[in-house]
Amino acid sequence: MKKLGAGDLRKECDPSRFPFKTTEDFEFEREPIHQERGVSAIGFGLNIKSDGYNIFVCGAAGTGRNTQVNKAVNEIASREKAPDDWIYVNNFVHEDEPIAMSLPPGRGIMFKKDMEELVEELKLEIPRAFESEDYEARRQELLKKYKQKRDVALEEIEKNAFDEGFVLKQSATGVTLVPRSGDHPMSAEEYEKLSDKEKEKIEKKKHDLHIKIEQALSETRMLEKTAKMKIKELEKEVALFSVKHIIDELRFKYREFDDVVEHLNLVQDDIVNNMDIFKEEEEEAQPVFFGMKAAAAARKNAFQKYRVNLLVDHRHFKGAPVIRESNPTYYNLLGRIEYVSHFGAMTTDFTMIAPGALHKANGGYLVLQAMDVMSTFMAWHALKRVIRNREIKVEDINEQFRLISTTALKPRPIPSDIKIIMIGPPWLYQLLYKFDEDFRKMFKIKADFDIEMNRDDEKVKKYAAFIKVRCEEEEMRHFDRRAVARVIEYGSRLTHDQEKLSARFMYIADILREADYWAGQDNADFVDASHVEKALREKVYRSNMIEQKIIELIDRDILMIEVGGSVAGQVNGLSVLDVGEYMFGKPSRITARTYMGKAGVVDIERQVKMGGNIHSKGVMILSGYFGEKFAQENPLSLSASICFEQSYEGIEGDSASSTEAYCLLSSLSGVPIKQSIAVTGSMNQHGLIQPVGGINEKIEGFYHTCKIKGLTGDQGVIIPQANFKHLMLKDEVIDAVKNGKFHIWAVSTVDEGIEILTEKKAGKGDKKGKYPKGTINYLVDKKLREYSQKFAKAGAQKRKSKKKTTSGKKKS
């Protein structure tokens, strides 16, 4: 047992240890690393290039996960070369499967512009070629030859018909043979006057002539078809002449890229085969009808197939890309196929393929927040598919759920080479590792970020460096050495440990900003310790409304807490309430009632399902402790009820188990407990006191209660000996201890605690298990023996009465 002095209640930071007056004078080469383990793991994961070595950075919020990831990734990415550009072009063989191509950085936009200029140039060159005199002369020559052959054939047909006694007439349905009379066609009346034999002879000749005419006309049609083919070949020749020398320049320019050259060959063939779209003249801007608009739009869209969709452009990158996707939806990761409304219908083509974060990060690094990925529909499955298949495939997610399949673009996939860094909480990492077999294969690097670090000279200097860097980056006032010392003490307060400093720099940075604000309110050039203290007080004031309400209820005796006098079977326990950003301690009256029976220790909180499992475990430990200590010769014939008075919410934790033990000891011994002393600490079955959490808040909570009730100099708190190094109390409490108005004791056993609470010796048992007279344990043992004897006597009488009743029934 130890009564703590003011010097034990907080480990102060000596400002004189700093080699500067203000952080402005503090010199160091670069901001030191605060999370060595995590940063080392990130560095290893970024440098190893084997499959599956993606990184999962886990740790609590505010530990610098994002900052360190960004710093490490940016540093290594800056030393790497920029990856290739990626483009999509039309697939002239399978138009619903656009082709992906890669080009060196900056060549993608160059090729895109070259193709646009090619189309614009051909719009001028091809019509100009077809307007040339040479083309027109050659075309007319072909037409002339065709017409001559056609005319000769028709004249021969007409001559043969005339020689056979017919006149040839052209009609809408073809060629008609009419019998002639002299040089003129025979009228119907003249034909009717002919004899049947003459008519039959005419019809036979007519039939024979029709066969010859059909043969002649067929030859004429073949001549026409041949002429058209020759004209088409001429047009292709002219178009090829116009196109080839232009595309030859591009072929030479991109000669080292086989897929680009092959695409240019296909473009050339398609242009030659579809030259008509280039020969049509552009419509002048004027009011047009719907049909004319549709035709103009169709002509404009006809040129789309020659364009280039620049999916990813790295021309301005100095190193590998680092992409941070804050909204990792399925489409934001894998890209999307966009649609446009075109005269009432939704249409798309390869130029409407939009990139996702994975495309942009290809050849570099992609940083994602794990919680965002897991909470977004299909995003995690899509990400795993990319890692597993090492390719990025743009797909419409609706295709997986449609009952009826529809024709849609299926862009060729792009090979992927991406290092993925996910940042998330430790519990999510554990869940994924346990339940997702793919995860452990794909994220082989775990980077752990701690919430605390040792408080040694090196880490203290790192804290000072962190303060300076934040001041310079955020253009805040610099901190003097006393202010730095106070921030370091606050860092230990956050960890509840004198030998540790908080690694949750988000909270430290918040205090720096708020202290700078208050320094500005004072028109100060530098931030001093008073401004840090002001920031801490104001931070508490913004969040402690509920605490003040509870203190007010205690002050008005609505919540019944006594801080003076002595009561048997009653003690002030301490608990911690967490209201988000703020935690505070609250005293609770705990009472125990004991009586003869076999029920053992009954936890009222557990019976009404207000107690958690850990709390119930702590109560059950009491049975083991009392059984081992007082039931070696006689069985425990004890019933006891323990209750947290005026408790209207759930209770969890075992930090009140020692408090409940003191209650039972007091109730059984009949010795009252001093109500001026509050207690916290868990215990084991051997009666040893174990450390608890929230020790500073608990002490300060009872101190505030005593303060409003009136400090008498007798009040204080009993804490576990193991919590001694966890004390980082506020100045107000330390001053009260220094002035003898408040006390703190550290104990390691239940016996030590009961002696402080009752001012009576606990008593140590001898070899026979006997305790010295007048001690607490002697009185408890005596009471339990009385319970045992009375219970045994009552049991014997009950059995004797039952035996008599049974014997009387047999005689009857």
Side-chain angles (χ1 to χ4, degrees):
M1 179 176 64
K2 180 182 179 181
K3 187 174 183 180
L4 303 182
D8 301 321
L9 305 184
R10 184 173 72 203
K11 183 178 180 179
E12 296 186 347
C13 181
D14 184 6
S16 64
R17 70 188 300 173
F18 298 115
F20 54 82
K21 290 185 178 180
T22 70
T23 52
E24 188 176 19
D25 308 325
F26 187 29
E27 296 181 359
F28 52 89
E29 290 184 5
R30 55 184 293 181
E31 184 181 3
I33 298 171
H34 305 290
Q35 296 273 5
E36 289 86 352
R37 184 194 303 274
V39 171
S40 174
I42 292 171
F44 174 73
L46 292 176
N47 283 288
I48 189 168
K49 302 303 180 184
S50 302
D51 289 349
Y53 281 85
N54 296 299
I55 306 168
F56 193 102
V57 181
C58 53
T63 52
R65 299 171 303 172
N66 291 286
T67 302
Q68 293 300 333
V69 165
N70 291 339
K71 188 180 297 184
V73 173
N74 289 337
E75 183 177 343
I76 195 169
S78 65
R79 300 197 299 264
E80 298 179 353
K81 66 176 185 178
D84 288 346
D85 295 340
W86 280 97
I87 61 174
Y88 267 113
V89 295
N90 184 47
N91 187 336
F92 291 98
V93 180
H94 303 288
E95 291 196 353
D96 60 340
E97 297 180 9
I99 298 171
M101 297 180 186
S102 63
L103 289 168
R107 299 294 291 274
I109 186 66
M110 187 185 299
F111 185 56
K112 176 183 172 71
K113 289 180 178 178
D114 285 342
M115 292 302 293
E116 289 173 354
E117 290 173 2
L118 170 68
V119 171
E120 294 304 318
E121 190 171 356
L122 290 178
K123 285 181 181 180
L124 299 175
E125 288 294 327
I126 291 177
R128 189 179 297 151
F130 284 102
E131 292 169 2
S132 66
E133 293 180 0
D134 179 63
Y135 164 73
E136 189 60 31
R138 292 176 64 185
R139 182 173 179 275
Q140 290 300 326
E141 181 65 25
L142 288 172
L143 289 174
K144 183 179 178 181
K145 288 180 179 179
Y146 160 69
K147 287 179 180 178
Q148 286 176 349
K149 290 180 180 180
R150 185 193 63 182
D151 292 343
V152 169
L154 290 176
E155 285 176 5
E156 187 176 349
I157 292 171
E158 193 170 348
K159 183 177 180 301
N160 288 338
F162 189 84
D163 291 343
E164 293 292 335
F166 291 91
V167 176
L168 197 65
K169 281 191 173 184
Q170 297 278 356
S171 67
T173 58
V175 178
T176 304
L177 291 172
V178 180
R180 68 182 177 81
S181 175
D183 293 334
H184 303 287
M186 186 181 292
S187 65
E189 291 80 5
E190 289 176 322
Y191 181 76
E192 287 300 327
K193 292 177 180 179
L194 296 175
S195 65
D196 292 339
K197 189 174 181 180
E198 288 177 322
K199 288 181 181 179
E200 184 178 346
K201 185 178 179 182
I202 291 172
E203 289 300 324
K204 186 176 183 305
K205 287 182 179 181
K206 187 177 182 180
H207 178 267
D208 293 339
L209 278 173
H210 266 300
I211 293 173
K212 291 179 180 180
I213 290 169
E214 283 299 325
Q215 290 175 349
L217 290 175
S218 178
E219 291 174 2
T220 304
R221 284 193 290 270
M222 286 299 295
L223 288 173
E224 184 179 2
K225 186 176 181 181
T226 302
K228 286 182 178 179
M229 288 177 62
K230 287 184 177 181
I231 290 173
K232 193 70 177 176
E233 288 173 3
L234 174 63
E235 289 178 344
K236 287 183 178 181
E237 182 184 340
V238 172
L240 181 60
F241 178 78
S242 302
V243 173
K244 189 174 183 303
H245 72 279
I246 300 174
I247 293 186
D248 278 345
E249 294 176 6
L250 295 180
R251 273 192 282 255
F252 180 79
K253 186 175 182 180
Y254 297 96
R255 62 190 179 280
E256 64 223 78
F257 309 110
D258 293 339
D259 50 355
V260 175
V261 172
E262 177 61 26
H263 176 68
L264 289 172
N265 292 338
L266 293 172
V267 168
Q268 176 178 293
D269 293 343
D270 192 81
I271 290 173
V272 170
N273 291 325
N274 296 278
M275 70 192 82
D276 291 340
I277 61 173
F278 289 92
K279 293 195 296 183
E280 296 175 9
E281 295 182 1
E282 295 283 351
E283 296 288 337
E284 294 183 4
Q286 57 182 340
V288 291
F289 296 107
F290 178 84
M292 297 173 68
K293 282 185 177 181
R299 182 175 184 274
K300 183 179 179 182
N301 291 335
F303 297 111
Q304 289 289 93
K305 57 185 175 181
Y306 306 123
R307 298 190 183 277
V308 172
N309 180 358
L310 180 58
L311 195 73
V312 183
D313 181 11
H314 290 128
R315 59 184 150 153
H316 299 306
F317 280 69
K318 303 300 182 184
V322 179
I323 303 300
R324 300 166 186 86
E325 180 53 65
S326 59
N327 183 26
T329 63
Y330 178 91
Y331 289 121
N332 285 354
L333 285 176
L334 267 74
R336 58 171 53 83
I337 300 171
E338 297 174 340
Y339 290 82
V340 63
S341 177
H342 184 67
F343 298 107
M346 301 302 292
T347 62
T348 188
D349 57 45
F350 73 96
T351 63
M352 296 184 192
I353 301 172
L358 288 162
H359 294 100
K360 298 172 185 176
N362 201 11
Y365 305 88
L366 176 60
V367 181
L368 299 169
Q369 297 299 321
M371 287 298 294
D372 293 336
V373 174
M374 299 303 157
S375 61
T376 304
F377 180 63
M378 293 294 289
W380 174 235
H381 297 288
L383 188 64
K384 287 197 298 181
R385 189 162 58 248
V386 170
I387 297 173
R388 185 189 306 114
N389 301 333
R390 294 184 61 81
E391 64 179 25
I392 309 166
K393 192 173 183 181
V394 181
E395 293 179 301
D396 186 350
I397 195 173
N398 295 316
E399 288 293 316
Q400 303 179 40
F401 304 103
R402 284 193 183 121
L403 294 176
I404 301 173
S405 62
T406 58
T407 303
L409 282 184
K410 295 179 176 61
R412 298 272 179 90
I414 293 175
S416 68
D417 178 22
I418 313 169
K419 181 74 72 172
I420 298 173
I421 303 100
M422 286 212 302
I423 303 171
W427 62 264
L428 180 58
Y429 176 88
Q430 298 297 336
L431 281 177
L432 290 170
Y433 193 88
K434 184 174 182 180
F435 296 108
D436 192 330
E437 292 183 359
D438 293 328
F439 177 78
R440 64 189 71 174
K441 299 174 186 175
M442 297 174 177
F443 287 84
K444 296 181 179 180
I445 301 296
K446 177 187 179 185
D448 256 331
F449 275 60
D450 201 352
I451 61 171
E452 61 185 22
M453 54 188 179
N454 293 331
R455 182 175 168 178
D456 52 32
D457 289 342
E458 180 187 358
K459 299 299 190 300
V460 168
K461 287 180 181 178
K462 287 183 177 182
Y463 248 61
F466 174 79
I467 294 172
K468 175 174 182 174
V469 171
R470 293 286 79 71
C471 290
E472 291 179 348
E473 287 185 354
E474 301 186 25
E475 299 182 351
M476 297 188 295
R477 295 166 183 80
H478 282 277
F479 283 56
D480 68 19
R481 61 174 67 177
R482 291 183 181 278
V484 173
R486 189 66 192 91
V487 172
I488 288 169
E489 290 172 7
Y490 175 66
S492 286
R493 165 80 181 201
L494 289 176
T495 64
H496 299 86
D497 196 324
Q498 295 179 358
E499 305 300 328
K500 299 287 184 181
L501 287 171
S502 175
R504 303 186 76 171
F505 292 100
M506 176 178 70
Y507 300 124
I508 302 300
D510 287 345
I511 286 300
L512 300 182
R513 298 182 188 104
E514 293 168 23
D516 173 68
Y517 169 80
W518 293 114
Q521 295 298 298
D522 289 346
N523 294 319
D525 294 329
F526 299 99
V527 178
D528 59 31
S530 66
H531 299 130
V532 177
E533 290 288 353
K534 174 79 169 176
L536 292 173
R537 286 196 305 272
E538 291 295 324
K539 189 178 185 68
V540 170
Y541 178 72
R542 292 194 298 270
S543 304
N544 73 342
M545 183 181 73
I546 295 176
E547 180 186 22
Q548 293 301 315
K549 294 286 185 183
I550 291 174
I551 291 175
E552 182 182 345
L553 292 174
I554 293 173
D555 185 33
R556 296 171 61 191
D557 293 326
I558 296 172
L559 281 179
M560 293 184 287
I561 300 293
E562 296 180 23
V563 294
S566 299
V567 180
Q570 177 176 301
V571 69
N572 287 322
L574 296 172
S575 59
V576 173
L577 296 183
D578 188 342
V579 290
E581 187 183 13
Y582 184 63
M583 290 172 55
F584 62 93
K586 169 183 172 293
S588 300
R589 175 179 289 180
I590 301 174
T591 59
R593 291 296 175 262
T594 55
Y595 44 91
M596 184 177 65
K598 280 292 184 181
V601 180
V602 176
D603 176 17
I604 292 177
E605 266 37 67
R606 182 186 179 192
Q607 295 298 314
V608 298
K609 298 181 179 179
M610 289 177 64
N613 293 331
I614 299 175
H615 174 75
S616 299
K617 175 189 173 184
V619 175
M620 290 179 178
I621 286 173
L622 297 176
S623 298
Y625 170 74
F626 276 87
E628 188 273 337
K629 197 162 188 173
F630 301 112
Q632 296 298 318
E633 296 181 2
N634 299 299
L636 278 179
S637 301
L638 170 68
S639 290
S641 63
I642 298 176
C643 178
F644 279 69
E645 306 290 355
Q646 291 186 291
S647 171
Y648 308 107
E649 63 275 333
I651 296 173
E652 183 58 298
D654 63 349
S655 65
S657 55
S658 66
T659 312
E660 293 161 340
Y662 298 140
C663 263
L664 290 173
L665 291 172
S666 172
S667 178
L668 289 167
S669 66
V671 178
I673 287 176
K674 295 172 70 174
Q675 301 300 294
S676 58
I677 299 174
V679 182
T680 187
S682 72
M683 62 174 282
N684 61 25
Q685 293 187 106
H686 299 291
L688 300 177
I689 304 300
Q690 302 171 144
V692 295
I695 193 68
N696 294 297
E697 288 80 4
K698 290 176 178 178
I699 294 172
E700 291 164 359
F702 189 67
Y703 169 78
H704 291 141
T705 299
C706 295
K707 183 180 177 182
I708 62 168
K709 292 279 189 179
L711 292 169
T712 62
D714 294 328
Q715 294 130 339
V717 176
I718 296 175
I719 66 171
Q721 181 75 40
N723 279 123
F724 168 59
K725 289 293 184 180
H726 298 157
L727 296 176
M728 288 297 295
L729 293 170
K730 295 178 180 178
D731 289 336
E732 185 180 5
V733 180
I734 295 173
D735 292 340
V737 172
K738 188 184 296 184
N739 297 327
K741 293 182 179 180
F742 196 73
H743 310 280
I744 299 173
W745 295 270
V747 299
S748 55
T749 66
V750 171
D751 287 347
E752 291 175 359
I754 197 67
E755 288 180 0
I756 297 172
L757 290 168
T758 61
E759 296 184 335
K760 265 185 176 293
K761 289 289 183 181
K764 187 175 182 181
D766 57 22
K767 293 180 180 180
K768 295 182 180 180
K770 304 295 183 182
Y771 297 98
K773 272 193 173 183
T775 62
I776 297 294
N777 288 330
Y778 171 81
L779 296 173
V780 172
D781 186 56
K782 180 181 177 183
K783 175 64 73 174
L784 290 173
R785 286 176 185 273
E786 289 174 3
Y787 282 167
S788 181
Q789 291 169 5
K790 290 179 181 179
F791 193 82
K793 186 176 179 180
Q797 289 177 348
K798 186 175 182 181
R799 288 192 298 273
K800 185 177 180 181
S801 174
K802 185 177 181 181
K803 189 175 181 182
K804 285 181 180 181
T805 303
T806 305
S807 176
K809 287 182 178 179
K810 286 182 179 180
K811 288 180 181 181
S812 303

